[in-house]
Amino acid sequence: MTAGESSQQRGVARDTLLKYLVSGGDERLDCDPVSGLNMYGYGPAPRPEDLAFGSSTASTISAPAFAAVESYYADLMRAMEAGSSAAVYDREIRHVRDDLLRLLGLSQNSAARIDAILATSGTDIHLFSAALLAGEDERALMTITLMGNETGSGVMMASAGRHFMSRVSSARTVAKGEELRPGNATRNATIAVRNKDGSLRADSEVEEELRGLIELARAAGLRCLLVVTDVSKTSLLAPGLETVLRLKERFRTVLDIMIDACQFRLSAATIRAYLAHGFMVALTGSKFLAGPIFSGALLCPPQMSARFKSRMLPAALADYCGKAEWPEDWAARDTLPDRANLGLLLRWKAALFELERLVGVAEDRLIAVLSAFTDAVSDRLANDPAFEPLQSRPLDRRALWGASSALRWDEIPSIFSFYLRNCTNGAMLTATEMAAVYKDLAAGGNGVALVRLGQPVRCADFGDVPASALRICLSAPLVAAASRSDEAFGAVVAQAMLVLDRTAEAAARLSDGSNAREMRRSA
């Protein structure tokens, strides 16, 4: 083999790997043939030149993670050529499950084992949990979720047991909005945690509304699944944990709890505490961990596994997953195909690479880095007239640990949401204008690095004008990089300040153009 042939083969292998990284999901993974980017503006190849602070939406795989996945992929292909592809995939996806549980410090002995279902996305997890609980007994199911502006656009539909996209991971076309199990619909109720002006509703008000919803459901002979979001798109833990624990105590077997931790902005200790309460926990590797989209997991504590392991699944779920992605002793595997989703496997490998790096950083160093970054970004957003911070509140998990517990790294925010102001008249930019700023920053060009912020979140109305907030976020790779030294931390903060500089400049350009058009109309 010549050097040229070897180089050519490596190029072909890399191209095939890139195709696998965007396979085995729905149309959200599709990349534009010209730009090479998906609907979120991200692709499967590393882009180290980007200013990557948008992990609340999605991320581009890091260069070190890609190198690790590329090496793993070469070994995987050799193993599949030498043996049964199905058997190799089953073994490797089991290793992914075991590695995830190991990195989270979760027991894998039979008595206290945590079961993990792997899924292509966080939205799929909502679909799976609703499917497992619906029809468990003669009572129908009602799911209660936050409004989609704090979770995901398809969550409410998935939680109602309906197809939420037009194509599934098997590549089959489905009817978006159609019930998975026709005639056995799951109800979905949503609750807002913000007022119309974007301010936060009082915990007591939210709790009263939730209690009323569950009381009505119980009176109607329904069971409920309450989805608690930790952390939301705008860095909220909602509903509050004191509310959640009171509701669980009050309604007991009527109410199950799932923690939507799909941002993965919480520690292994917090995940273990949720599971110890008997709560399911949903995770993804594509937000804080900054793996490529899609990679999800639903963690089930022993008491939930005991309820689920004999459950059969709706036939339609066979298009969403294969048997290897489900725990070995669950009846659900019997109805699922022997389908290998190499895209899911490779994306989880990238996410676990980043989780391993994060777990290797000492807790006190994580606290120092996150605290100092929070101070720097919060000060800039509060004192620069170009920005207006979106109201938030502390991540309060004292109900899990007790009021006197020490500060933990995941109680420090890593998502910072803000509005932008017109530089001339001080008015808030509208939702349409915020979307234009986001698009401008993500376009880059002329040798300027792309700025990656979290997509605008529609979270308020100012009068009758819709308003959205952009988000600047820390990711696990950024935290790991900043933890290496004071100089490395300074470089990450400098990048964040540059991102905010560029954001303010984009808002000023848009404001100048809008003001000029307004002056021409008035002339």
Side-chain angles (χ1 to χ4, degrees), residues 500-516:
L500 293 175
D501 289 343
R502 295 268 302 277
T503 303
E505 291 163 6
R509 287 194 298 273
L510 185 142
S511 298
D512 289 343
S514 298
N515 294 333

Side-chain angles (χ1 to χ4, degrees), residues 64-78:
F66 187 84
V69 171
E70 194 169 26
S71 175
Y72 170 78
Y73 171 70
D75 293 339
L76 180 67
M77 290 298 100
R78 283 191 288 270

Side-chain angles (χ1 to χ4, degrees), residues 3-119:
E5 287 172 332
S6 177
S7 176
Q8 185 179 34
Q9 287 182 341
R10 285 196 297 271
V12 170
R14 179 185 170 94
D15 288 344
T16 306
L17 171 58
L18 292 174
K19 289 176 182 176
Y20 272 128
L21 284 171
V22 293
S23 69
D26 56 50
E27 57 262 42
R28 290 173 290 176
L29 273 172
D30 293 347
C31 292
D32 180 84
V34 177
S35 69
L37 305 178
N38 59 34
M39 62 185 290
Y40 301 108
Y42 293 84
R47 295 179 57 93
E49 69 280 5
D50 289 357
L51 294 168
F53 287 82
S55 60
S56 56
T57 293
S59 296
T60 301
I61 187 171
S62 71
F66 187 84
V69 171
E70 194 169 26
S71 175
Y72 170 78
Y73 171 70
D75 293 339
L76 180 67
M77 290 298 100
R78 283 191 288 270
M80 287 191 159
E81 288 169 3
S84 163
S85 294
V88 171
Y89 177 73
D90 190 281
R91 181 192 71 211
E92 294 303 310
I93 208 74
R94 186 169 64 249
H95 288 167
V96 163
R97 185 185 293 112
D98 291 346
D99 286 345
L100 174 62
L101 297 176
R102 172 182 59 82
L103 290 168
L104 295 177
L106 291 167
S107 171
Q108 297 180 55
N109 67 55
S110 56
R113 188 183 72 187
I114 301 299
D115 280 324
I117 304 165
L118 300 184

Side-chain angles (χ1 to χ4, degrees), residues 46 93 135 197 206 258 322 375-376 491:
I93 208 74
D197 64 357
V206 172
M258 182 173 80
D375 289 345

Side-chain angles (χ1 to χ4, degrees), residues 85-167:
S85 294
V88 171
Y89 177 73
D90 190 281
R91 181 192 71 211
E92 294 303 310
I93 208 74
R94 186 169 64 249
H95 288 167
V96 163
R97 185 185 293 112
D98 291 346
D99 286 345
L100 174 62
L101 297 176
R102 172 182 59 82
L103 290 168
L104 295 177
L106 291 167
S107 171
Q108 297 180 55
N109 67 55
S110 56
R113 188 183 72 187
I114 301 299
D115 280 324
I117 304 165
L118 300 184
T120 51
S121 76
T123 319
D124 289 67
I125 295 171
H126 287 272
L127 189 72
F128 291 2
S129 60
L132 286 165
L133 287 166
E136 188 178 24
D137 55 29
E138 71 282 359
R139 296 172 294 176
L141 177 69
M142 181 174 80
T143 58
I144 305 172
T145 60
L146 297 191
M147 296 290 283
N149 56 352
E150 288 289 349
T151 55
S153 58
V155 164
M156 291 178 285
M157 199 175 293
S159 295
R162 297 175 181 273
H163 296 295
F164 54 89
M165 298 298 288
S166 300
R167 196 181 75 232

Side-chain angles (χ1 to χ4, degrees), residues 37-307:
L37 305 178
N38 59 34
M39 62 185 290
Y40 301 108
Y42 293 84
R47 295 179 57 93
E49 69 280 5
D50 289 357
L51 294 168
F53 287 82
S55 60
S56 56
T57 293
S59 296
T60 301
I61 187 171
S62 71
F66 187 84
V69 171
E70 194 169 26
S71 175
Y72 170 78
Y73 171 70
D75 293 339
L76 180 67
M77 290 298 100
R78 283 191 288 270
M80 287 191 159
E81 288 169 3
S84 163
S85 294
V88 171
Y89 177 73
D90 190 281
R91 181 192 71 211
E92 294 303 310
I93 208 74
R94 186 169 64 249
H95 288 167
V96 163
R97 185 185 293 112
D98 291 346
D99 286 345
L100 174 62
L101 297 176
R102 172 182 59 82
L103 290 168
L104 295 177
L106 291 167
S107 171
Q108 297 180 55
N109 67 55
S110 56
R113 188 183 72 187
I114 301 299
D115 280 324
I117 304 165
L118 300 184
T120 51
S121 76
T123 319
D124 289 67
I125 295 171
H126 287 272
L127 189 72
F128 291 2
S129 60
L132 286 165
L133 287 166
E136 188 178 24
D137 55 29
E138 71 282 359
R139 296 172 294 176
L141 177 69
M142 181 174 80
T143 58
I144 305 172
T145 60
L146 297 191
M147 296 290 283
N149 56 352
E150 288 289 349
T151 55
S153 58
V155 164
M156 291 178 285
M157 199 175 293
S159 295
R162 297 175 181 273
H163 296 295
F164 54 89
M165 298 298 288
S166 300
R167 196 181 75 232
V168 291
S169 62
S170 66
R172 191 173 77 85
T173 300
V174 296
K176 185 175 180 178
E178 188 177 82
E179 297 170 13
L180 245 69
R181 204 191 315 246
N184 189 17
T186 294
R187 297 162 174 81
N188 175 248
T190 59
I191 187 162
V193 291
R194 293 188 184 276
N195 297 305
K196 192 175 180 181
D197 64 357
S199 61
L200 292 169
R201 296 178 68 193
D203 282 343
S204 58
E205 184 182 342
V206 172
E207 182 171 346
E208 183 178 357
E209 184 175 344
L210 283 169
R211 188 169 60 247
L213 274 172
I214 302 169
E215 289 282 14
L216 288 172
R218 180 166 62 179
L222 306 179
R223 293 165 49 253
C224 292
L225 171 65
L226 174 61
V227 179
V228 179
T229 305
D230 182 354
V231 175
S232 77
K233 287 182 179 181
T234 62
S235 195
L236 297 177
L237 198 175
L241 292 184
E242 289 187 354
T243 288
V244 171
L245 294 175
R246 279 194 292 266
L247 291 172
K248 182 59 180 171
E249 176 66 23
R250 180 186 182 98
F251 293 103
R252 297 184 180 271
T253 59
V254 171
L255 181 65
D256 287 305
I257 307 292
M258 182 173 80
I259 306 298
D260 180 347
C262 286
Q263 286 281 340
F264 217 138
R265 296 177 189 274
L266 68 180
S267 67
T270 299
I271 292 170
R272 293 195 298 268
Y274 279 135
L275 292 165
H277 276 279
F279 301 163
M280 296 175 286
V281 179
L283 303 168
T284 70
S286 59
K287 298 296 195 295
F288 181 63
L289 291 187
I293 63 166
F294 297 176
S295 56
L298 177 63
L299 306 184
C300 297
Q303 54 269 58
M304 298 305 293
S305 293
R307 289 167 57 182

Side-chain angles (χ1 to χ4, degrees), residues 409-420:
W409 73 259
D410 60 358
E411 295 171 317
I412 305 166
S414 55
I415 300 175
F416 306 88
S417 307
F418 57 89
Y419 305 113
L420 290 167

